[in-house]
Amino acid sequence: MRKQNEFVFPGDELAVIEEFTPGENTYEVDGQVRSSALGKVFYDMINRRSNVLTLKKPLLSTLKKARYVYGVVMGVREDSVMVSISSVEEKFISPSLSGFLHVSQISNKFIEKITDYVKAGDIIRAKPMTYYIPLSLTIKGKDLGVVYAQCSICGTVLVKQDDEHLRCPNCGNIERRKLGNYMVKKVGNQGN
Amino acid sequence: MTPSNENIVPLIKKESILHMLERGLREDGRKLNDYRPLSITLDYAKKADGSALVKLGDTAVLAGVKVEEEEPFEDTPAQGNLVVNVELLPLAYETFEPGPPDENAIELSRVVDRSLRDSKSIDLGKLVIEPGKRVWTVWVDIYVLDYGGNVLDASTLAAVAALYSAKLPKVVNENGEIKVVKEEKGDRLPILFPVVTVTAAKIGKYIVIDPDLEEEAIADAKLSISYTPEGRIVGMQKSGAGSFSVQEVLYIENTARAAGLKLLEDFKKQLNIQ
Amino acid sequence: MIQIQKPRLILDDGRRLDGRKPDELRPMKMEIGVLKNADGSSLVQVGNTKIIAAVYGPREMHPRHLAMPNRAVLRVRYHMTPFSTDERKNPAPSRREIELSKVIREALESIILVEEFPRSSIDIFMEVIQADAGTRLASLMAASLAVVDAGIPVRDLIAAVAVGKADGVLVLDLNEPEDMWGEADMPVAMMPALGQINLLQLNGNMTPEEFKQGLELAMKGINIIYNMEKEVLKSKYAEYKEES
């Protein structure tokens, strides 16, 4: 065992598996727990886990801490929605990540038609629930859901009518969605 | 790019293969250090200047030698040239496709080439027709016909056997003018001694010599070592995503050398050479 | 220019053409985080050999059907710039570069914890800026440092050095004349903390005894390089800490 907070390199031995199980940024080989990163050792005495705290993480590993992601709805299927995630919180990512939204993660209400909640082309704010590609998403939360949408008849950007409906300022079409923090509140310079 | 696991059957069988290895056995009845039976058919392709069909267990490799007259390279005016190429033919395995050689074929070619070249088993200095003007380029084309594991060792064997069977076109000296008579065979290729490559595969904590296709599919890593009849190392290549401890490397060198010298004896007997 | 005559590689005082003793390494310089856009990058100089490496990922694999469900796919390219050699090198990948890309990728496979990123790809690029013997190992080390810089979890670092035979003497860390005229060249790469060899090649001609001694000599060099790598990583970490 090393000193708490000691600086370690990948490959450095931290503990034997009987003392501490492998935690963050560690791995086990032949009964030994070793570091897989550059950083400082943190032995979690309560859970008996050894961790290495790092300063730099790959994007996929930072998703666990992400409060929300933004993505474009690429297609709607019978029981799920394909999403192309293009930002983690406000950070733009490229290439985009694939995600999907299962029908059970759209709303607490009974859903007859998914397209009453999200449509292809919508931009949604969602929270990732798994951190592997494709990410499984949810928009059940209060501030989660569609944040930007276009009229399915004329393509004009829709404005918020009430908590569940959007209105087209151009053709007057009303569409239903599961809304998050919907961005377009006024007409702006669109339409009228 | 990381190759994907095309054949998952060996992965499912891995446990049972490991179980057998623990008892010192392999699926085909061999011991861990045993080579599969080797058969060599010389002059299999009659239009080639030399050729050999090598069968090593289920693996079949055909090597053909063609000799061409060329100008020497500027930096080696008194030397002939050797060119080795390995093709993994689409007819040899389910996943092989036509097209330019992939990284596996290129690696095979280059390892066989280095073993032949670095061992100096071919006397390139004797492949000269007229110094500085005309030399022989020896093309060794190795065609894998049946992919049954350990094609590297089979490729080296096929290449060396084909070189032993090869004859240069006849060269005559007519009043000081050196002429090549293509229609007639002349001297044998200046090959001084045979070279073998012996591959060992690491499966779990076990090391096996001459892995078959299933063993290769589940191997962590392989180490191939080429030897001369004197037991000198004339080439080495580690392949596969795994790693070896120093002890494992030294163990493989010992075991592979013993297997290699035995293989060389067998090879010489079959080719009737000293 | 190509030299036709083989020079003497070991001089009367037992030193090599560049003044080194047989078991002495070339001067080495490593820098981490040299590129802005890449997720991780590094610059490694060994003598006159100079390599720049960059890592992108793990990111979603495109085309998607090539992704693997249980791990990340590594795409590795070792490439020599046309101006890295005495004679201009054709920039199209040569057979040598294709082989080395494979050998380097397989060595990197053994350190990267690919199982942590299923269905993704990790793309690793190495460009040889100056080639003066030992480019594959310098590239491999550069790549491993770039991977660590990207924060990608790894089992170990990679330290690597070639051992060769010049005029019958075992020498550490070949220079260009030794590479060209020597009797053997054996590149060795190791995961130093785990004591595992993840790259091993040999071209040339050695007795089994020389091979054994060569491997020991390589491990001696690797140990020195490993400590240098740790120093560099430690000071880079301190830099990051100041930034954050």
Side-chain angles (χ1 to χ4, degrees), chain B residues 12-30:
Chain B
I12 300 164
K13 285 175 76 177
K14 187 168 181 175
E15 277 311 307
S16 77
I17 293 174
L18 280 171
H19 227 77
M20 289 189 77
L21 291 176
E22 203 180 331
R23 290 182 289 145
L25 293 171
R26 295 161 81 173
E27 283 235 311
D28 56 7
R30 281 186 288 163

Side-chain angles (χ1 to χ4, degrees), chain A residues 124-152:
Chain A
I124 60 165
R125 176 176 160 124
K127 191 173 162 36
M129 299 193 299
T130 61
Y131 313 103
Y132 301 121
I133 301 164
L135 310 187
S136 152
L137 303 168
T138 180
I139 55 168
K140 268 185 168 176
K142 195 168 162 267
D143 58 342
L144 303 174
V146 176
V147 294
Y148 180 97
Q150 284 167 299
C151 174
S152 45

Side-chain angles (χ1 to χ4, degrees), chain C residues 12-62:
Chain C
D12 286 334
D13 58 358
R15 288 185 184 258
R16 297 149 74 176
L17 285 177
D18 49 16
R20 282 185 291 155
K21 285 181 259 168
D23 63 349
E24 202 177 326
L25 292 165
R26 287 180 287 180
M28 203 173 158
K29 215 179 125 196
M30 292 173 273
E31 247 182 280
I32 291 167
V34 294
L35 300 174
K36 193 182 147 287
N37 285 333
D39 294 320
S41 61
S42 75
L43 178 73
V44 168
Q45 259 178 282
V46 184
N48 288 322
T49 289
K50 192 192 275 188
I51 317 285
I52 196 156
V55 174
Y56 282 88
R59 56 185 178 181
E60 188 153 345
M61 177 95 196
H62 289 281

